[in-house]
Amino acid sequence: MTVTNFSWINGTWFPANDASIGISDLALQRGFGIFDFFRIIDGKPVFLEDHLDRFFRSSRSLGLDPGWERQQLVDIIHHIATRNNLTEGGIKLLLTGGYSADGYTPGKPNLMVTASPMLFERGLGAGLHLMSVEHQRQLPEIKTIDYLMAVHLQPQLKASGADDMLYYSQKGVTECPRANFFMVTADGVVLTPATGILKGVTRKKVLESALPGIPVIEKDFSLVEAMAAAEAFITSTTKPVRPVVAIDGKVIGNGSAGAITRQLNEWLQAKVFTGILYEQD
Amino acid sequence: MTVTNFSWINGTWFPANDASIGISDLALQRGFGIFDFFRIIDGKPVFLEDHLDRFFRSSRSLGLDPGWERQQLVDIIHHIATRNNLTEGGIKLLLTGGYSADGYTPGKPNLMVTASPMLFERGLGAGLHLMSVEHQRQLPEIKTIDYLMAVHLQPQLKASGADDMLYYSQKGVTECPRANFFMVTADGVVLTPATGILKGVTRKKVLESALPGIPVIEKDFSLVEAMAAAEAFITSTTKPVRPVVAIDGKVIGNGSAGAITRQLNEWLQAKVFTGILYEQD
């Protein structure tokens, strides 16, 4: 058997097919764990420092000690990329509640690092149709493993013909299950919700973009406002900027990617793909 | 090494310490899975038919095929009790989203059955102090593995000196993280929330109790009403009826178990412990 993929668990390497964890782990028993996920392009981690910042923030917020220092994680990440010949793909750090004697109280956390080859879309990609869902994620600012609602609603999403969901609550639009949401006002101001969301690394880059004539502001807005937007797009690690062309069947703007969406996408693609702006080298 | 405990995974027996699952399982990756848990007393499962009813309901609600028929599960349950010499304890059925190729889409579910020896408290037990928490569980009527908020708040609970949490939302009191809540009105009517909760098996027994002069009704009520109750108690599989003597420091009734709480506890203890009313024999 040719082993094509290695995973790292608590300091030991495993062929990915043999990578396992004891069933008393609190992630499995109680959905208690955090993770982070980032891209490898040309063999190099993209925005790694931001992802590690968030990983350590998430672990502190859930009271989970990663058990490894930041520089050790950087070394493991470079090692797993090399060992898996990962030129382009994703690396996931997953930190769990650990083995629990009573099935409820966290133990010593388990840390897993996995690599998956995957090609990332260059360019803007097709415009997305979103289906709105009234739901507020619990502990939204922590990158927990809680995707129960999102996975549960996949059959309903498929039936609707939409590409992804857009969560909203009484306070307004929040986020997609795995992406941040942005709208562009009639005045050309880019808004992204300020509260009740996971603060994505790509979202942060867009907030910092400072492109001439394209103000980007954190500000909550309603689903009705989003549906009346001049443009809309989402951001995530796997697809830096993707246009949103409809929400619940209501066409956004002229139904194709708007000018501001295109400019932000180009800027971000350059940042991600040129290598000039790698933060970790 | 003496192996004292066996677990069952997908048709195979493992010493509990070796029982493991591949890390691509969607329970671990995305918190996607369901379970059920019931007691063994005198070597026999208690209220098994109710627990199996709920287990199959939960699995259907999340679109997870257990892969085993009801009678096969009954056989496995009796086998695991015998194999572990489980005279008194708990048995857990855990059904996960399975191995996922993309880390998001459910695969073929994994089913695990585990046994743990534990002694159950006879009698009423000490009165509980509850700490209120504004939180509505997602998909509350499905017995999912989502206990993220409950485990997350354990340090805060310990700091408060309370014994457990009481969730409430805008619609009123809902439940404790692992138990149902009941209040007794000044007129001696027993109320338990009707909506936004997991419908516990012990709760069902209390609703069906039909003790003379003790009406039990499903009806939502506010946290303020609960704090002004004549009596309050919780029900769960591990402690059939436990009195609640304070909520957020406000004493309930006279600060000890009330007469109706005691009567329901006695009735339920008899039902659980005498063996007369075992549903599975």
Side-chain angles (χ1 to χ4, degrees):
Chain A
M1 193 184 96
T2 311
V3 170
T4 55
N5 197 342
F6 288 91
S7 299
W8 181 103
I9 305 178
N10 299 328
T12 305
W13 293 95
F14 297 90
N17 290 338
D18 298 339
S20 66
I21 188 154
I23 63 173
S24 72
D25 190 278
L26 221 59
L28 187 66
Q29 295 291 335
R30 301 290 181 179
F32 197 72
I34 61 114
F35 74 107
D36 221 293
F37 176 83
F38 53 88
R39 307 163 65 141
I40 298 287
I41 307 270
D42 292 338
K44 298 198 186 71
V46 179
F47 306 144
L48 179 59
E49 298 304 331
D50 288 301
H51 285 284
L52 287 176
D53 285 349
R54 188 172 61 185
F55 176 77
F56 282 100
R57 268 203 313 275
S58 296
S59 61
R60 271 194 307 275
S61 298
L62 275 204
L64 298 173
D65 178 2
W68 302 78
E69 299 299 325
R70 188 174 179 115
Q71 188 52 49
Q72 290 177 306
L73 290 191
V74 171
D75 293 345
I76 293 159
I77 286 160
H78 283 278
H79 195 158
I80 199 169
T82 308
R83 186 152 191 168
N84 288 295
N85 296 312
L86 197 68
T87 313
E88 185 158 340
I91 289 182
K92 187 169 184 172
L93 310 178
L94 175 60
L95 183 69
T96 72
Y99 299 131
S100 176
D102 63 1
Y104 200 66
T105 309
K108 183 173 181 290
N110 287 306
L111 177 62
M112 284 153 263
V113 187
T114 50
S116 11
M118 52 174 82
L119 289 175
F120 292 102
E121 196 167 340
R122 268 70 174 165
L124 200 58
L128 300 172
H129 292 243
L130 301 184
M131 174 184 91
S132 71
V133 172
E134 188 170 4
H135 175 60
Q136 171 60 61
R137 287 175 52 245
Q138 59 186 336
L139 307 176
E141 301 218 354
I142 309 175
K143 197 163 174 72
T144 74
I145 60 171
D146 172 26
Y147 287 73
L148 178 65
M149 185 61 79
V151 177
H152 175 60
L153 292 179
Q154 286 304 301
Q156 191 177 323
L157 178 68
K158 282 201 177 65
S160 81
D163 304 296
D164 205 348
M165 293 176 255
L166 178 61
Y167 290 146
Y168 69 98
S169 68
Q170 289 184 323
K171 77 104 190 158
V173 167
T174 52
E175 59 195 339
C176 300
R178 296 182 288 177
N180 287 115
F181 183 85
F182 292 75
M183 65 167 276
V184 182
T185 68
D187 298 335
V189 178
V190 182
L191 304 180
T192 194
T195 59
I197 59 161
L198 182 77
K199 294 191 171 169
V201 168
T202 311
R203 172 182 180 276
K204 179 171 178 250
K205 300 299 164 191
V206 171
L207 278 166
E208 294 167 355
S209 57
L211 296 187
I214 306 184
V216 186
I217 296 168
E218 290 180 285
K219 183 176 180 296
D220 292 336
F221 49 83
S222 70
L223 183 60
V224 169
E225 289 173 290
M227 290 171 83
E231 303 180 26
F233 60 91
I234 64 169
T235 61
S236 80
T237 289
T238 51
K239 32 187 172 302
V241 170
R242 281 289 289 278
V244 171
V245 298
I247 301 174
D248 295 341
K250 163 78 173 66
V251 172
I252 305 295
N254 65 5
S256 62
I260 290 177
T261 303
R262 288 177 185 279
Q263 285 177 73
L264 283 166
N265 176 62
E266 269 174 41
W267 173 81
L268 201 61
Q269 292 266 341
K271 196 167 169 64
V272 171
F273 286 111
T274 62
I276 298 167
L277 293 161
Y278 289 139
E279 295 179 341
Q280 179 67 29
D281 217 342
Chain B
M1 194 184 93
T2 311
V3 170
T4 55
N5 196 340
F6 288 90
S7 298
W8 181 101
I9 306 179
N10 298 329
T12 306
W13 293 94
F14 297 90
N17 289 338
D18 297 340
S20 65
I21 188 155
I23 63 173
S24 73
D25 189 278
L26 221 59
L28 187 65
Q29 296 289 337
R30 301 290 181 180
F32 196 73
I34 60 114
F35 75 107
D36 221 291
F37 176 83
F38 53 89
R39 307 164 66 141
I40 298 287
I41 307 271
D42 292 339
K44 298 195 187 73
V46 179
F47 307 144
L48 179 60
E49 299 303 330
D50 288 301
H51 285 283
L52 287 175
D53 285 349
R54 188 172 62 186
F55 177 78
F56 282 101
R57 268 203 314 276
S58 296
S59 61
R60 272 194 307 275
S61 299
L62 275 204
L64 299 174
D65 178 1
W68 302 79
E69 299 299 324
R70 188 173 178 117
Q71 187 53 49
Q72 290 177 306
L73 290 193
V74 171
D75 293 345
I76 293 158
I77 286 160
H78 283 279
H79 195 158
I80 199 169
T82 308
R83 186 152 190 168
N84 288 295
N85 295 313
L86 197 67
T87 313
E88 187 158 339
I91 288 182
K92 187 169 183 172
L93 310 178
L94 175 60
L95 183 70
T96 71
Y99 299 131
S100 176
D102 63 2
Y104 199 67
T105 309
K108 183 174 180 293
N110 287 305
L111 177 61
M112 284 152 264
V113 186
T114 51
S116 14
M118 53 174 84
L119 289 177
F120 292 103
E121 195 167 342
R122 268 72 174 165
L124 199 60
L128 299 172
H129 291 244
L130 302 183
M131 174 183 91
S132 71
V133 172
E134 187 169 5
H135 175 61
Q136 172 59 62
R137 288 177 50 245
Q138 59 186 333
L139 308 176
E141 301 218 354
I142 309 174
K143 199 164 174 67
T144 74
I145 61 171
D146 171 26
Y147 288 72
L148 178 64
M149 184 62 78
V151 177
H152 175 60
L153 291 179
Q154 286 304 302
Q156 192 178 321
L157 178 67
K158 282 201 178 65
S160 81
D163 304 296
D164 205 348
M165 293 176 255
L166 178 61
Y167 291 146
Y168 69 98
S169 69
Q170 290 184 323
K171 78 105 188 157
V173 167
T174 52
E175 59 195 338
C176 300
R178 295 183 290 178
N180 288 116
F181 183 85
F182 292 74
M183 66 168 276
V184 182
T185 68
D187 298 336
V189 178
V190 183
L191 304 180
T192 193
T195 59
I197 58 162
L198 182 77
K199 295 191 170 170
V201 168
T202 310
R203 172 183 180 276
K204 178 169 178 254
K205 300 300 164 192
V206 171
L207 278 166
E208 293 167 355
S209 57
L211 295 189
I214 307 184
V216 186
I217 296 168
E218 291 181 284
K219 183 176 179 297
D220 291 337
F221 49 83
S222 71
L223 184 59
V224 169
E225 289 174 289
M227 290 170 83
E231 305 179 24
F233 60 91
I234 65 169
T235 62
S236 79
T237 289
T238 52
K239 33 186 173 298
V241 169
R242 279 289 289 278
V244 171
V245 297
I247 301 173
D248 295 341
K250 163 78 173 66
V251 172
I252 305 296
N254 65 3
S256 63
I260 290 176
T261 303
R262 288 178 185 277
Q263 285 177 73
L264 283 166
N265 176 63
E266 268 173 42
W267 173 81
L268 201 60
Q269 292 265 342
K271 197 168 168 67
V272 170
F273 287 111
T274 62
I276 299 168
L277 292 160
Y278 289 140
E279 295 180 342
Q280 181 66 31
D281 217 341

